[in-house]
Amino acid sequence: KMLSASPLAQTLMRRGVVGRCMLMACILLPSAGLAEAEAAFLAPMSLTTQSCSRGLSCSRVCRRTMPTARLARPAVMMMQEAASEEDGGAAPAVPEASDNGEEGAGSLSRKERRRSNRKSRNNSRNRIAAPTGSEGSIRRSEALSQHFLTDESVIMRLVEQVQDKSQGGACVVELGPGLGAITQPLLSLYPKMTAVELDGLAVAELQRRHPDLDVREQSLLDFDFAAHAKECGGRLTVIANVPFGISSQTLYKLLDNSEHVKRAVLVLQQEVVNRVMADQTQRKYSTLSVEHVLRCERVQEIMKVPSIAFSPAPRRTATAAIVIDYASEAPVDQEEGGVLRAALTTAFGEGNKPRTLGETLWKSSALRRAVPDIKDICLSDINWLRKKPVELAPGKWLHVARSLSSFAATERAVEVDNE
């Protein structure tokens, strides 16, 4: 009690050093006199005071005493029990020593405390609150890498690009509204719009705040665009802040339903936008580039979206907003579209060292099912089979898909004649 009342101890109590010093003193107290215990208590403190005057870290200087402090734990417990028996009550608690110089850390190791702190930070980072002071909140999906838009100026620019002319905005569909940061200004312009949200808590909050809003609780990848377009009586206009984890899947979903979607206003990673807008002379030329050229009338990047516009802010990921106007008629039918997608995915999936189409197309299981004699075709002397995927323009890829589909149709006709 005398040592803990020392002015020096009170001064350094906030620095987390007193726990170690008291433990060192308690080791010497049963076997030595009070003078030795006081010296053991004050020596590390004076050293810490000198180091502080020189601008050094307290925890860095006193870290040498940690092995002694850890060994002192049994002695401290014995002293507390003896003091409680003599006084007839509980002994004053001795501050616990920690690895980083902080008191009250309990028996957790440094690694366990770091893990606990990291988990606490991630929990707060992964929770997003509803706009305009509402009490609702949802947890972001780490697997999908969700980042919610919160900047009003960015949101208003996105809403301005919708430009839907259907009655009451019945053809407007928002994919993944979350807690309604984009929905609120969108609903004021298009009161008959539809929202598609997978999170049940977000759906309940949206229905509570906007009772007249048509909310569909399902994944945007499972949403039936064709049925909804037929129900609304026109082609749809889609707006979405797409989760980074399903950017490509969302784009392919919209491409497959391009006949039922008129316009899409999307927020995507900058690298995905670059792949969508790349031409044949650029390194980002890929499957998305070819299909968007074939199925779209216009693809335009309207703005860069800064990381501070999101909550939580994406780390080391640039984002941008694009507007895509889809063609009213697809250049390929369903069968040719499947063959085109399989051929593109296989050819561009070779990485940095692409091979010719004749060397890669036969590896696709989807193409082998659609075109049974694909191996024999790849061995033939067709000009485009000797080309690499980056050497074929989008129009040439359309010719490849139609050629493979015609080969498959011819094979089926021969089989029918044989039967």
Side-chain angles (χ1 to χ4, degrees), residues 218-224 253:
Q218 63 180 129
S219 171
L220 62 89
L221 300 177
D222 299 330
F223 184 67
D224 193 346
K253 177 73 173 181

Side-chain angles (χ1 to χ4, degrees), residues 235-246:
R235 299 176 68 195
L236 306 177
T237 302
V238 174
I239 181 172
N241 173 29
V242 183
F244 292 171
I246 56 172

Side-chain angles (χ1 to χ4, degrees), residues 323-343:
V323 175
I324 304 175
D325 291 329
Y326 296 94
S328 57
E329 295 182 3
V332 292
D333 55 23
Q334 185 175 1
E335 180 181 357
E336 293 175 351
V339 171
L340 176 63
R341 178 74 54 80

Side-chain angles (χ1 to χ4, degrees), residues 270-297:
Q270 184 66 61
E271 60 171 338
V272 178
V273 174
N274 293 341
R275 294 210 315 266
V276 170
M277 303 183 64
D279 57 28
Q280 191 179 353
T281 61
Q282 298 175 334
R283 289 187 59 186
K284 295 294 184 179
Y285 187 64
S286 62
T287 304
L288 288 173
S289 311
V290 175
E291 292 213 35
H292 278 86
V293 170
L294 296 177
R295 294 179 179 268
C296 302
E297 296 179 351

Side-chain angles (χ1 to χ4, degrees), residues 122-202:
N122 289 339
N123 286 340
S124 60
R125 184 175 185 269
N126 292 334
R127 175 97 19 204
I128 181 67
T132 64
S134 179
E135 297 179 356
S137 66
I138 59 174
R139 181 178 176 84
R140 67 184 284 266
S141 173
E142 297 183 12
L144 299 180
S145 185
Q146 290 178 314
H147 300 274
F148 300 94
L149 269 177
T150 56
D151 190 280
E152 294 183 0
S153 61
V154 175
I155 292 174
M156 293 309 299
R157 287 194 62 182
L158 294 176
V159 173
E160 290 174 0
Q161 295 295 326
V162 174
Q163 300 176 5
D164 186 81
K165 298 181 180 179
S166 60
Q167 184 176 2
C171 294
V172 176
V173 178
E174 183 183 2
L175 303 178
L179 290 174
I182 303 178
T183 310
Q184 188 168 350
L186 201 63
L187 193 62
S188 61
L189 297 176
Y190 309 104
K192 295 183 179 180
M193 61 167 288
T194 303
V196 181
E197 174 59 52
L198 180 61
D199 193 313
L201 296 176

Side-chain angles (χ1 to χ4, degrees), residues 71-93:
L71 294 176
R73 298 287 299 169
V76 174
M77 299 301 298
M78 293 174 60
M79 291 185 59
Q80 287 180 344
E81 294 176 1
S84 62
E85 292 177 359
E86 293 178 0
D87 300 339

Side-chain angles (χ1 to χ4, degrees), residues 3 24-29 31-43:
L3 294 177
M24 293 180 65
C26 290
I27 294 176
L28 300 177
L29 190 58
S31 59
L34 185 61
E36 289 83 354
E38 185 176 0
F41 177 60
L42 295 179

